[in-house]
Amino acid sequence: MSRNLKNVLVVSFGFLSLFTAYGGLQSLQSSLNSADGMGVASLSVIYASIILSSMFLPPIIIKNLGCKWTIVASMACYVTYSFGNLYPGWGTLIPTSIILGLGGSPLWSAKCAYLTISGNRQAGKDNKRGQDVINLYFGIFFLIFQSSAVWGNLMSSLIFGQDANIANITEENLQFCGAGVCTQNITGESPKPERKLVNILVGCYIGVGLLAMLLVAVFLDNIDRDSAREFRGNRDPFWNTFLATFKHLRDKRQLLLIPLTMYSGFEQGFLAGDYTKYYVTCALGIHFVGYVMICFGATNSICSFTFGRLAQYTGRVALFALAAVVNFSCIIALLFWKPHPDQLPVFFVFPALWGMGDAVWQTQTNALYGVLFPHQKEAAFANYRMWESVGFVIAFAYSNFICLDSKLYVLIFVLILSMVLYAWVEWEERRNPTPGVEPSHDVTEKKEGKDQGLTAPTTQIKAETKL
């Protein structure tokens, strides 16, 4: 196994452990903390905070700490949110949501930069195209990472399944499930599991979050350590780094990719905030949320790896088209489906198809950013996280105020707009291809202090590094 692949696996399993906790909590917020919309409000605050951090923090933090320690510090921010859920209330959930959000963008930007650096380095060693190895590495990452939905939701379903009194769904309540339902029409709260069971679950989530921090801190190579050290010794003007995310918006391709990136947030927000509440919890009970999201996570994980390898044969355009058709079909079907407990298999069909589509949005959009912006990785991935978070914020913010069918129409509109503008980006890229990162064969002869940094061609980083 190559050293680069080892690092990809460490990052992947670290994220798997961290998002086993956060993903499980996110899926349950709209149902578990539904009083006054507190759970959905906390999710909205998280992604609003991520937007704020995306504007300024990733280039500064990554260049100062390097990718490895940025990931560790950001993971600590996520763990605080689990602590907030031990005693849920406006005074605990909102502050911890803000803390999580501030760490969210640096976490994902550092991860994307790390995988892009590793992919380009390995491509130089193997004489392969950088984008093919990057696609493979993102596919491996999402294969492992997306399975977090399986483990986190399995934990919640097994623990909540011990409460036998949480699934008394009456025929009268079923009429308020599915499309055409407005929040003001819902007359009663769904039954909640015992607080003792909730605390057991949150305690487990805190444990796996701390495990993620330990795994990355101990086993991940600090591949850009010298770049960070050089940056601290020879600082660019503060405002150049501080405003790097906004300066990247001068690139027309980045502007055209904004709707596509936002759609990733819209579709994930819909599944976590609306499908789980208005279809699953409403018709089956909260203990089924975990099982349904397991189906989503398992499909997403398998398809992420498959599409990551398939992209080099089919190209990314075909995969984006597949995801668009799958999501569009699901949205139309959800507009007409009235969920009922007698239709149990159908509850799992939608998240399975949604997971297939999300696998494309995640792997291919991340890889697309890495291919289009190889020399502006921090700023590009900060924009990715910022605009994806805008989609999340909008999806969660209007969750308590507009009807479900209106949300589905919004999804259709954003999906169509995204595909039109994405096609424009691909047309521009075909006319004027982005130069790849050229491998440097004399890299091992360079002095250790001569590292060119994150924004230089990434394969010029030394072939072997220490922790």
Side-chain angles (χ1 to χ4, degrees):
M1 179 190 299
S2 72
R3 197 172 185 87
N4 289 314
L5 179 57
K6 185 271 294 183
N7 286 327
V8 171
L9 293 176
V10 172
V11 171
S12 301
F13 280 103
F15 272 66
L16 165 65
S17 185
L18 182 71
F19 281 85
T20 290
Y22 174 67
L25 284 174
Q26 178 178 266
S27 299
L28 293 168
Q29 285 302 313
S30 62
S31 302
L32 197 60
N33 297 315
S34 58
D36 300 322
M38 183 173 62
V40 172
S42 76
L43 296 177
S44 186
V45 169
I46 285 173
Y47 290 101
S49 184
I50 288 177
I51 293 171
L52 183 63
S53 72
S54 299
M55 293 177 180
F56 310 113
L57 294 183
I60 294 175
I61 295 179
I62 295 172
K63 284 180 176 293
N64 276 281
L65 298 182
C67 291
K68 172 179 176 175
W69 294 112
T70 298
I71 291 173
V72 174
S74 299
M75 283 179 166
C77 296
Y78 274 72
V79 175
T80 62
Y81 186 66
S82 296
F83 279 102
N85 274 268
L86 276 176
Y87 302 97
W90 292 101
T92 55
L93 282 183
I94 300 305
T96 54
S97 295
I98 294 173
I99 294 172
L100 187 156
L102 292 177
S105 186
L107 175 72
W108 284 93
S109 298
K111 180 272 298 181
C112 292
Y114 197 100
L115 294 188
T116 301
I117 292 171
S118 300
N120 281 318
R121 290 177 62 192
Q122 193 62 38
K125 291 181 178 180
D126 298 342
N127 292 318
K128 295 181 178 180
R129 290 196 310 168
Q131 63 178 334
D132 289 339
V133 182
I134 292 171
N135 265 319
L136 174 62
Y137 280 0
F138 273 103
I140 293 172
F141 170 81
F142 281 105
L143 166 69
I144 297 170
F145 162 72
Q146 294 290 12
S147 69
S148 64
V150 175
W151 309 116
N153 288 295
L154 181 61
M155 289 167 64
S156 69
S157 291
L158 291 177
I159 292 174
F160 288 166
Q162 299 176 42
D163 191 335
N165 299 318
I166 62 174
N168 296 322
I169 310 296
T170 66
E171 289 293 332
E172 181 181 359
N173 288 336
L174 287 173
Q175 65 180 311
F176 297 115
C177 302
V181 175
C182 293
T183 53
Q184 59 264 31
N185 291 339
I186 299 178
T187 57
E189 292 287 336
S190 299
K192 302 292 192 306
E194 296 177 10
R195 189 67 230 175
K196 179 182 69 174
L197 296 177
V198 174
N199 289 339
I200 291 174
L201 177 65
V202 174
C204 294
Y205 285 161
I206 291 173
V208 295
L210 294 174
L211 176 64
M213 294 175 59
L214 181 64
L215 178 65
V216 173
V218 173
F219 295 106
L220 187 65
D221 288 350
N222 197 357
I223 63 175
D224 58 341
R225 174 192 57 196
D226 298 320
S227 304
R229 182 185 300 142
E230 182 177 345
F231 175 80
R232 290 193 298 268
N234 303 282
R235 293 182 182 274
D236 290 334
F238 174 77
W239 288 105
N240 286 351
T241 306
F242 191 64
L243 299 177
T245 302
F246 293 108
K247 289 182 178 180
H248 190 65
L249 291 172
R250 296 172 182 172
D251 193 318
K252 183 176 72 172
R253 297 170 302 170
Q254 175 63 75
L255 292 175
L256 293 173
L257 287 175
I258 287 175
L260 175 65
T261 313
M262 286 179 62
Y263 179 75
S264 176
F266 272 103
E267 56 94 8
Q268 292 179 76
F270 172 81
L271 189 75
D274 293 311
Y275 182 77
T276 56
K277 179 177 181 179
Y278 292 108
Y279 291 90
V280 182
T281 301
C282 184
L284 298 177
I286 192 172
H287 66 296
F288 262 96
V289 169
Y291 294 122
V292 168
M293 294 304 289
I294 286 171
C295 184
F296 166 78
T299 307
N300 201 328
S301 178
I302 295 170
C303 289
S304 292
F305 179 74
T306 303
F307 293 153
R309 297 189 67 87
L310 197 60
Q312 60 184 310
Y313 305 108
T314 65
R316 57 180 173 261
V317 176
L319 296 178
F320 274 117
L322 172 64
V325 170
V326 168
N327 268 187
F328 185 82
S329 302
C330 287
I331 294 168
I332 296 299
L334 287 170
L335 280 168
F336 295 98
W337 179 48
K338 293 297 293 182
H340 193 279
D342 293 340
Q343 304 166 331
L344 187 61
V346 182
F347 288 88
F348 294 88
V349 170
F350 284 107
L353 293 174
W354 211 267
M356 179 188 299
D358 187 67
V360 175
W361 306 129
Q362 298 301 313
T363 60
Q364 297 308 304
T365 307
N366 274 279
L368 178 62
Y369 270 72
V371 170
L372 294 181
F373 312 113
H375 304 300
Q376 302 87 32
K377 291 180 294 300
E378 304 98 323
F381 287 121
N383 268 279
Y384 172 86
R385 195 58 182 160
M386 179 173 70
W387 294 111
E388 183 185 47
S389 298
V390 170
F392 271 111
V393 167
I394 295 173
F396 289 132
Y398 65 39
S399 181
N400 292 322
F401 300 102
I402 68 173
C403 299
L404 182 59
D405 53 353
S406 298
K407 300 172 190 177
L408 291 168
Y409 289 127
V410 170
L411 280 178
I412 291 174
F413 171 77
V414 179
L415 175 59
I416 293 174
L417 177 63
S418 300
M419 289 298 98
V420 171
L421 296 183
Y422 164 71
W424 189 352
V425 171
E426 288 289 0
W427 181 68
E428 290 283 351
E429 180 68 8
R430 191 173 294 266
R431 290 178 56 211
N432 300 296
T434 301
V437 178
E438 296 296 332
S440 176
H441 298 289
D442 63 343
V443 63
T444 55
E445 300 174 6
K446 292 181 179 290
K447 292 175 63 179
E448 186 170 348
K450 297 294 185 181
D451 236 344
Q452 298 300 309
L454 278 171
T455 55
T458 53
T459 49
Q460 290 182 0
I461 297 174
K462 294 190 314 163
E464 296 294 334
T465 56
K466 299 179 181 179
L467 281 174

